[in-house]
Amino acid sequence: GYCTWYVYEQRAAIGRPIGSFWGDGGKWKYSGEAAGFLVNNSPAAGAILVELGWPGHVAMVDAVLPDGTVLVSEMNNNAYGGWGRVSKRTLSPGQAALYWYVH
């Protein structure tokens, strides 16, 4: 039910696996950098959205629309679905710019 478990499994499913011991979601920017992944503020389909902090949060970028709108799926986001449930949400380009992305 953790956001990290969900994203880890989603990346493996699309053939873009990540490390098994990246810590809490808020550490994934740094874990991604340390593992040699591109990390920036530009969302792309298949990238991992990272919300810094403790414990932080991660989500899977499902699509980026031509207008810059970002569609994400995630698990354990209490505001959008709750524990153990996959939820989806849409981020405006301005909202999406507030996050880091591990490619």
Side-chain angles (χ1 to χ4, degrees):
Y2 290 102
C3 62
T4 50
W5 175 84
Y6 174 76
V7 171
Y8 176 88
E9 292 291 320
Q10 292 301 302
R11 286 283 292 212
I14 64 168
R16 296 171 62 187
I18 59 168
S20 298
F21 301 100
W22 281 18
D24 293 325
K27 297 176 184 170
W28 280 35
K29 173 190 182 287
Y30 310 108
S31 296
E33 289 170 337
F37 286 84
L38 172 66
V39 179
N40 61 28
N41 292 106
S42 299
I48 302 164
L49 174 150
V50 179
E51 180 181 333
L52 297 178
W54 188 90
H57 184 66
V58 292
M60 188 73 179
V61 177
D62 295 325
V64 179
L65 304 181
D67 69 355
T69 298
V70 178
L71 308 177
V72 301
S73 59
E74 58 200 334
M75 186 173 270
N76 195 25
N77 184 332
N78 290 330
Y80 297 97
W83 174 254
R85 295 179 55 178
V86 175
S87 57
K88 296 181 180 278
R89 62 182 162 130
T90 302
L91 303 173
S92 70
Q95 291 169 317
L98 301 175
Y99 298 101
W100 289 97
Y101 299 89
V102 178
H103 297 272

